[in-house]
Amino acid sequence: MSPTHTVVTGGASGIGAAVVEALLARGEQVTIFDLQPPLGETLPAGVGFIKVDASDEDAVRDAVAQAEAEQGTVTGVVICHGNRGLFVPAMEADLQHARKVFDIHVLGALAVSREVVRRLEGRPASIVTVSSATAFGGWEKQADYGVAKAAVRQLTQNLAVEWASLGVRVNAVAPGNTLTPMVQAVIDSGSYDTAAVEKRTPMGRFAQPEEIATAILFLLLDATFVTGQCLAVDGGWTAVGE
Ligand SMILES: NC(=O)c1ccc[n+]([C@@H]2O[C@H](COP(=O)([O-])OP(=O)(O)OC[C@H]3O[C@@H](n4cnc5c(N)ncnc54)[C@H](O)[C@@H]3O)[C@@H](O)[C@H]2O)c1
């Protein structure tokens, strides 16, 4: 167990917000990096919020410096921000949007993680990224988002190998369908067959954000000899062998 001050990107909503709550319950300090403020009138003690685009390298540099000035050295990172793909066939993919998705998910993960690691001065740290079940195997309509999430998984392994000697562990979780505002928006748009998703999932349901947060905290705080791994938290989705 090493983090005491963790930056949670995307911590204002969905899985990230569940991670913030779980970290607080473990007595950890947290700074949220997000484009929007968290819901609720006041931030609980031990939680800071900095409005920042995680894929803007200069803004991230300032944000990490501010987080450390406010709550001390950052020794934990959870990369939980992200935007959606367009859910269109590859032939119709909008390359500009695909570039943006890659920038936000992949280069955002790199920008935040390395800015924190640059400032560690020998302290141990732990990083968890959020990939996706769409990072495994071939999917329809995932030429933008699914490809970016596979790259997040790959980046996680690369960083784990480069930074192990610095005392920095880097792991990923790969959630299956999780009921968050991001997924609710897709359901509301009518482009998700929820019954088909439930039928395809061995456990027969969507995940709750708290169930993903539990796995993230395991990797972040408890799994002290695990690095470079990607833990599927998907109700058995990627275990199906048909
Ligand atoms: N919900 C799922 O089913 C699911 C499944 C697999 C992976 N994921 C991944 O989990 C992560 C969290 O997703 P969620 O479902 O909780 O979504 P969400 O929309 O509820 O939360 C995402 C948060 O990220 C923030 N954000 C977006 N772009 C940002 C940027 N450039 N800089 C800083 N903050 C930014 C948003 O403001 C929002 O608060 C994402 O990376 C998503 O791809 C989600």
Side-chain angles (χ1 to χ4, degrees):
M1 171 150 178
S2 63
T4 50
H5 178 197
T6 297
V7 162
V8 182
T9 70
S13 175
I15 295 169
V19 169
V20 171
E21 274 209 20
L23 282 168
L24 279 182
R26 294 274 297 257
E28 295 283 316
Q29 285 167 290
V30 180
T31 303
I32 296 170
F33 284 7
D34 204 305
L35 298 173
Q36 59 175 355
L39 290 176
E41 280 160 29
T42 49
L43 290 172
V47 181
F49 164 67
I50 298 174
K51 184 173 175 174
V52 59
D53 176 347
S55 64
D56 178 339
E57 198 176 10
D58 292 337
V60 164
R61 192 173 303 123
D62 292 346
V64 174
Q66 185 185 333
E68 295 200 338
E70 288 172 1
Q71 298 210 78
T73 305
V74 175
T75 47
V77 179
V78 178
I79 300 292
C80 213
H81 68 279
N83 62 339
R84 291 176 41 206
L86 294 179
F87 285 97
V88 294
M91 292 297 272
E92 294 162 28
D94 174 339
L95 298 194
Q96 211 176 330
H97 186 78
R99 277 190 200 101
K100 199 163 166 50
V101 170
F102 190 90
D103 229 42
I104 289 173
H105 286 267
V106 187
L107 303 184
L110 177 59
V112 176
S113 300
R114 74 178 182 185
E115 185 55 29
V116 167
V117 169
R118 257 186 204 125
R119 303 169 64 102
L120 283 173
E121 295 179 348
R123 297 176 190 90
S126 177
I127 298 171
V128 179
T129 64
V130 178
S131 177
S132 163
T134 58
F136 296 85
W139 291 62
E140 292 179 350
K141 303 182 181 177
Q142 292 292 345
D144 47 14
Y145 178 87
V147 170
K149 294 315 248 182
V152 167
R153 184 159 71 100
Q154 181 66 56
L155 176 69
T156 302
Q157 287 194 311
N158 293 353
L159 300 184
V161 169
E162 281 198 28
W163 294 345
S165 62
L166 305 177
V168 180
R169 295 185 303 108
V170 193
N171 291 289
V173 298
N177 291 284
T178 308
L179 279 176
T180 65
M182 181 192 275
V183 164
Q184 196 58 53
V186 186
I187 293 172
D188 293 347
S189 75
S191 47
Y192 235 25
D193 183 345
T194 52
V197 168
E198 286 162 359
K199 187 159 180 275
R200 168 67 178 74
T201 307
M203 287 183 69
R205 62 175 176 84
F206 285 65
Q208 293 298 324
E210 294 73 22
E211 296 177 296
I212 312 302
T214 298
I216 290 173
L217 260 70
F218 165 69
L219 290 169
L220 186 77
L221 298 175
D222 303 321
T224 53
F225 198 52
V226 178
T227 198
Q229 299 304 306
C230 181
L231 177 59
V233 191
D234 62 2
W237 182 286
T238 50
V240 175
E242 57 194 61

